[in-house]
Amino acid sequence: MGGTGTRGSGEGAGRSPRAGSGTRDVATESVATGARSQRRAAAILLAPVRAARAAARYLNAVLGGQDYARYVAHLRRVHPDRPIPSESEYWRERHAAADRNPGTRCC
């Protein structure tokens, strides 16, 4: 069987062009390693920022930062005929109601 194009014959048959050449694509490998280390460094540097944002969201939720917006959405959805109070009126009424009914607070 000569070199007539049959399988297994001919030069480099069954091998990929780089197989066995013993060389690596160092440029591509170093770019991938550099990108990976940059992502890792960015993640390390952004961790305190993410923690601060999470703490701010938590404190905002605990202290009632979104309560007025939620109340206005409720009024528009369920009671569209009622007037919407200003934010200062809302907080004034909310604190007055808490003073009248101290059931769930400690002092």
Side-chain angles (χ1 to χ4, degrees):
M1 296 205 185
T4 60
T6 60
R7 264 184 199 216
S9 65
E11 195 173 314
R15 292 176 29 190
S16 66
R18 293 190 327 178
S21 65
T23 62
R24 296 188 327 225
D25 192 357
V26 177
T28 304
E29 190 174 300
S30 66
V31 168
T33 303
R36 191 171 29 250
S37 65
Q38 284 179 348
R39 284 193 303 270
R40 189 176 304 126
I44 290 170
L45 292 174
L46 288 177
V49 173
R50 288 187 185 132
R53 286 180 181 164
R57 282 192 303 271
Y58 174 75
L59 287 174
N60 191 28
V62 168
L63 298 175
Q66 296 296 319
D67 289 353
Y68 176 71
R70 198 173 312 133
Y71 179 68
V72 169
H74 165 77
L75 281 180
R76 287 184 176 147
R77 187 177 59 251
V78 180
H79 308 287
D81 55 327
R82 292 174 72 185
I84 296 175
S86 69
E87 191 167 0
S88 61
E89 291 171 346
Y90 167 77
W91 286 110
R92 192 176 309 120
E93 176 56 34
R94 181 173 168 166
H95 291 298
D99 288 340
R100 287 190 305 269
N101 185 15
T104 59
R105 55 181 198 173
C106 64
C107 323

